[in-house]
Amino acid sequence: MKLTRLSRCCPRAALLSLCLLPTSQLLAQELELPSQDIVAAPVVDDDGYQARRSSTASKTSVALKDEAQSVQVVTPQTIEDFQVRSLDDAMKFVSGVSQSNTLGSTKDAFIKRGFGTNSDGSILRDGIRSNLSKNFTATSERVEVLKGPAALLYGAMDPGGLINVISKLPQYQQRTTLSGSLFSEGGGSLSLDTTGPLGDSGLAYRLITERQHEDYWRNYGSHEQVLIAPSLTWTGERASLTLAYEYNDYSAPFDRGTVFSDGHPAADDYAKRLDERWAETRGIAESARAVFEYQLNDDWKTRFTHAWNNDTYGLSIAQPVANSLNATTGTFRRVGNGAHYDDETRYSSLDFIGQQRLFGQRHDLLIGVEHELNDQYRGKTYRNLASMRRDISIHDPVYGNLPEPSVVSATQSNRRNELTSNSIYLKDNWHLDERWILVLGGRYQHYDQYIAQGLGASRSELYSKNDQTLIPFTGLVYKASEALSLYGNYSRSFVPNTSVTDSGQTFDPEEGRSYEVGAKYDLRPGLSLNLALFDIVKENVVVGSGDDIEAAGKVGSRGVELDLAGQIAERWALIATYAYTHTEVLDDPANEGNRLAQAPRHTGSLYLTHDLPIDEQLGHWRIGGGARYVGERTGDNADSFRLDSYTLADAFIRWEYPLLGQQTALQLNLDNIFDKHYYPSTTGSELNVSVGQPRTARLSASITF
């Protein structure tokens, strides 16, 4: 199979074109609003490593202490200090989140409170469910992680939580940053981030571009990326409009990792791949959104959001054949597989956000309706014949003998998994008095799901069902003092079941319920401590095969999470996390009593930064470092093998100086300082175990004017 960069035309072009039109004139005519001088700055939600507010739990900016849920934030300062380049990097600073099956390192995939896959819909871009393979780019400003069920505002999703990547927006203060990086593996990146006002029109723009080439750290392959992301904001007296578009042309190795035998790594060389040079992914990821807000009066505003994201890509895989490892000779068998994909999300919502006083008590209200289409499509699917399989040695791999994917599978091609949802939701933060907040919410969702696959006569409908569900939420916040807030909540989740028996029987959605209590405490100004205890059960999990399928499965997760972040002294800042997560299969004929796959029982991290007391004439110097621990995990549902625990240490040093009147920065980051060999996740097979990146260095420079 020959992979080519894929693209297609669609109505999104109209959205992008709006960014290039004289939008201010059009809006002024329609809204008849007076012009005004704009001197705006972004709302300050973060102070260094400490976050004060979040928009994920309520779809509008709310103080974290007023939320009856656990929300952790990876702040812009954290992203800058540790040169975060992926969601994997970002999750080092959040408790209870670890890597799941990344499909050969091509997709974001995380375990949250014991639950998660690479296609569970739990990753959002600016509050919209994302179908993109990778979601952290140069446009990402911060990352918010909502723990526990999030179905109230976001619909069908596993009960572990969600990850929301917040994008950079246009600003009304002129600022341009040029930056570049060099990687120890070879290659580097160049980027531009420019923003500012367009005269006195009320318009502000932002343009972010990046070109990246990075040699893969294993013995062959490279990462390539071209990113272009324009955005435009108009602000009037009562109204505002933001248009944003992102284009990402990318390629990356499809690395199936290494091989385990008897529960231990079997390959001789950590750095040598066990696939082929043609094993890679190539694609184009795009996203666009339009957000219009109108201030109805002093207490209420309305917001209309229309968004779209799409990932069109191809995969070529040197797929290991199950149970093919010969422990004596050290060889296993592979086959060339692959497919073309077109994954898309279309989203529209209308929200009313405001305050209402009833009987002297304040209600912070969110009322909304939304429509969402989630379409995952796999076109031509290649499954090479058994006669085209070839062996490879895990001790001395020789490449070039395995044919590329070329045989189209009629039965597995043209697979479409389409979920269409229409929902109404309500959330009320009811301030009973100055200390007590009662949080009530509910969501009604009607959905249609359709699954079919096959070419021509092989085409068959696998699943077709429509249903509706009602999701309740209740929580309570007690603000014991300005520094301490206590909370508890009860919530539910659901995920449509796609299993079908041989006789055509379908099943009700998987349902989850969660109890959580916690505390949010400011140990001192600028230093926050968050504690959460939770208990989650997911029921109606389908088990069995053929006509022996039944929706009888039940799994559970309970534990404690601790997050500490902020300023501990005048020149010292800290991020510390710990999570204990006990997972268990509660009802399953085959795996009852087992832990959930890839869910570590213990995780933790500790990072410190220090601003050096050096003469200002020598510039501002900042150093930092720390380590992250991930405990032992089961490699599959049957607990047939396990992945060892690991600890990774990172460090950085940063220098800033107003060189020639322009703010200049130079930074060196070292990751995995002690060159630890580790294995972060698996596909559920000993023949597909991902390998962690060794010691790496990145030298970055930037100038801002």
Side-chain angles (χ1 to χ4, degrees):
M1 178 186 66
K2 184 177 182 180
L3 296 179
T4 58
R5 298 193 184 276
L6 305 170
S7 63
R8 66 179 190 170
C9 294
C10 68
R12 64 184 180 270
L15 179 58
L16 176 61
S17 68
L18 291 175
C19 297
L20 307 177
L21 296 176
T23 314
S24 62
Q25 298 178 12
L26 177 64
L27 291 171
Q29 291 172 4
E30 293 186 355
L31 297 173
E32 299 181 354
L33 299 174
S35 61
Q36 59 178 335
D37 295 329
I38 305 292
V39 183
V43 176
V44 179
D45 292 332
D46 314 306
D47 182 8
Y49 295 162
Q50 182 195 44
R52 298 191 182 98
R53 306 179 70 86
S54 166
S55 61
T56 301
S58 294
K59 289 194 173 185
T60 188
S61 181
V62 174
L64 291 174
K65 288 182 181 175
D66 289 354
E67 294 286 12
Q69 291 174 275
S70 175
V71 182
Q72 305 304 319
V73 179
V74 184
T75 66
Q77 185 68 61
T78 307
I79 292 170
E80 179 181 87
D81 283 350
F82 294 93
Q83 289 294 287
V84 171
R85 296 192 298 156
S86 68
L87 281 183
D88 277 315
D89 289 344
M91 293 304 102
K92 296 189 292 188
F93 310 103
V94 180
S95 64
V97 183
S98 57
Q99 190 181 102
S100 183
N101 174 15
T102 62
L103 195 62
S105 299
T106 64
K107 286 183 173 291
D108 292 325
F110 300 97
I111 299 290
K112 306 164 293 293
R113 292 186 172 177
F115 303 97
T117 68
N118 57 36
S119 59
D120 61 7
S122 66
I123 298 177
L124 282 61
R125 299 283 299 270
D126 299 297
I128 294 106
R129 195 187 314 268
S130 172
N131 253 316
L132 307 184
S133 299
K134 296 288 187 178
N135 290 276
F136 192 96
T137 69
T139 66
S140 303
E141 182 171 69
R142 66 205 301 257
V143 181
E144 300 181 353
V145 182
L146 173 62
K147 306 289 190 63
L152 170 64
L153 298 184
Y154 301 101
M157 191 173 301
D158 262 336
L162 62 82
I163 299 168
N164 189 18
V165 182
I166 308 297
S167 300
K168 299 172 182 177
L169 293 174
Q171 302 298 316
Y172 287 93
Q173 296 177 341
Q174 190 66 49
R175 179 185 175 95
T176 298
T177 300
L178 296 172
S179 57
S181 298
L182 294 175
F183 308 138
S184 58
E185 301 88 344
S189 67
L190 291 171
S191 64
L192 166 72
D193 182 355
T194 182
T195 186
L198 294 174
D200 59 357
S201 63
L203 287 165
Y205 76 94
R206 193 160 196 161
L207 175 65
I208 299 173
T209 64
E210 184 179 55
R211 174 70 173 96
Q212 178 181 310
H213 166 84
E214 181 181 357
D215 292 332
Y216 192 38
W217 68 269
R218 302 189 85 186
N219 56 327
Y220 57 86
S222 65
H223 293 269
E224 306 281 349
Q225 176 180 274
V226 176
L227 173 75
I228 304 172
S231 56
L232 189 68
T233 291
W234 174 84
T235 303
E237 184 176 311
R238 289 182 174 271
S240 67
L241 174 67
T242 295
L243 304 173
Y245 173 74
E246 183 173 326
Y247 173 92
N248 192 350
D249 189 331
Y250 66 91
S251 66
F254 191 100
D255 185 358
R256 277 291 186 173
T258 192
V259 171
F260 273 37
S261 179
D262 296 326
H264 301 285
D268 290 346
D269 194 330
Y270 189 74
K272 284 188 177 180
R273 294 173 62 177
L274 299 175
D275 39 45
E276 295 290 332
R277 296 185 182 276
W278 46 255
E280 63 176 357
T281 178
R282 290 178 176 270
I284 295 175
E286 297 175 272
S287 63
R289 71 181 187 280
V291 181
F292 176 78
E293 292 190 354
Y294 188 82
Q295 194 73 38
L296 299 169
N297 53 44
D298 291 343
D299 296 324
W300 283 90
K301 70 176 180 181
T302 185
R303 178 176 63 216
F304 174 74
T305 303
H306 182 69
W308 165 90
N309 59 74
N310 177 248
D311 201 355
T312 306
Y313 62 99
L315 291 178
S316 282
I317 311 168
Q319 180 77 48
V321 177
N323 304 314
S324 65
L325 178 64
N326 187 320
T328 303
T329 63
T331 62
F332 71 98
R333 189 151 296 175
R334 305 165 304 155
V335 63
N337 290 335
H340 296 289
Y341 296 83
D342 191 351
D343 298 336
E344 181 181 27
T345 297
R346 282 180 275 170
Y347 176 89
S348 298
S349 67
L350 177 64
D351 295 308
F352 293 87
I353 305 160
Q355 294 183 3
Q356 190 70 44
R357 299 196 70 87
L358 294 173
F359 307 107
Q361 296 173 325
R362 191 181 99 204
H363 296 257
D364 296 332
L365 294 168
L366 168 69
I367 306 168
V369 295
E370 79 176 19
H371 169 80
E372 181 183 47
L373 170 66
N374 190 304
D375 185 10
Q376 295 179 330
Y377 178 74
R378 186 182 69 209
K380 284 188 178 180
T381 301
Y382 301 84
R383 299 288 185 262
N384 278 4
L385 304 175
S387 60
M388 304 169 72
R389 299 175 178 181
R390 300 289 187 272
D391 290 345
I392 191 171
S393 170
I394 63 176
H395 306 302
D396 186 21
V398 176
Y399 309 108
N401 296 321
L402 184 68
E404 293 188 44
S406 60
V407 180
V408 176
S409 171
T411 58
Q412 298 188 46
S413 293
N414 287 11
R415 178 182 174 91
R416 167 155 272 124
N417 186 345
E418 188 175 273
L419 179 66
T420 305
S421 301
N422 295 288
S423 304
I424 303 172
Y425 47 86
L426 166 69
K427 186 179 182 184
D428 180 7
N429 283 23
W430 182 357
H431 295 254
L432 302 174
D433 55 30
E434 294 183 353
R435 294 185 179 272
W436 291 93
I437 304 173
L438 177 63
V439 183
L440 300 173
R443 179 187 187 94
Y444 170 80
Q445 180 163 339
H446 181 276
Y447 62 91
D448 295 275
Q449 188 159 21
Y450 175 80
I451 304 175
Q453 77 178 32
L455 290 170
S458 300
R459 186 74 175 173
S460 62
E461 183 181 281
L462 303 179
Y463 188 91
S464 180
K465 190 173 184 178
N466 66 84
D467 205 347
Q468 57 273 327
T469 187
L470 182 64
I471 303 296
F473 178 93
T474 183
L476 188 65
V477 178
Y478 175 63
K479 303 175 74 170
S481 66
E482 286 293 323
L484 176 63
S485 179
L486 307 175
Y487 73 92
N489 69 60
Y490 166 81
S491 54
R492 299 194 65 85
S493 66
F494 84 103
V495 179
N497 246 317
T498 59
S499 299
V500 185
T501 67
D502 291 345
S503 59
Q505 180 187 357
T506 60
F507 299 91
D508 293 334
E510 295 180 356
E511 296 183 349
R513 66 101 183 115
S514 171
Y515 297 100
E516 180 179 345
V517 296
K520 304 172 185 180
Y521 183 50
D522 289 341
L523 297 173
R524 51 167 290 165
L527 181 63
S528 299
L529 173 68
N530 296 292
L531 173 68
L533 294 89
F534 62 89
D535 184 281
I536 302 173
V537 171
K538 186 168 73 169
E539 301 179 281
N540 210 36
V541 179
V542 171
V543 297
S545 61
D547 270 335
D548 292 327
I549 296 178
E550 61 176 343
K554 181 187 296 185
V555 297
S557 172
R558 62 181 184 274
V560 59
E561 297 166 343
L562 188 68
D563 292 84
L564 179 65
Q567 208 75 18
I568 58 174
E570 182 179 353
R571 294 180 175 271
W572 290 89
L574 169 145
I575 299 174
T577 74
Y578 171 75
Y580 169 80
T581 309
H582 176 85
T583 63
E584 186 178 358
V585 178
L586 302 173
D587 186 6
D588 184 329
N591 300 315
E592 187 170 340
N594 290 349
R595 291 161 56 183
L596 298 183
Q598 308 201 69
R601 187 160 290 174
H602 300 276
T603 59
S605 64
L606 176 63
Y607 295 91
L608 286 167
T609 59
H610 180 53
D611 293 298
L612 299 177
I614 297 176
D615 192 312
E616 291 183 359
Q617 295 183 357
L618 299 176
H620 176 218
W621 292 80
R622 183 176 177 88
I623 62 173
R628 185 195 190 200
Y629 171 81
V630 177
E632 180 190 60
R633 293 133 290 142
T634 62
D636 59 4
N637 293 328
D639 198 7
S640 65
F641 70 103
R642 297 198 171 191
L643 306 178
D644 289 338
S645 62
Y646 61 88
T647 301
L648 304 178
D650 309 320
F652 77 90
I653 181 169
R654 181 178 177 87
W655 172 77
E656 295 180 351
Y657 189 76
L659 189 66
L660 301 177
Q662 310 299 334
Q663 190 63 37
T664 304
L666 193 65
Q667 181 165 327
L668 176 65
N669 286 76
L670 295 174
D671 295 335
N672 193 4
I673 295 173
F674 302 109
D675 203 21
K676 173 73 174 179
H677 289 187
Y678 66 103
Y679 306 91
S681 62
T682 171
T683 66
S685 166
E686 284 193 298
L687 299 181
N688 294 278
V689 180
S690 65
V691 292
Q693 196 164 358
R695 178 172 52 241
T696 58
R698 299 191 304 278
L699 181 62
S700 305
S702 67
I703 181 169
T704 301
F705 53 90

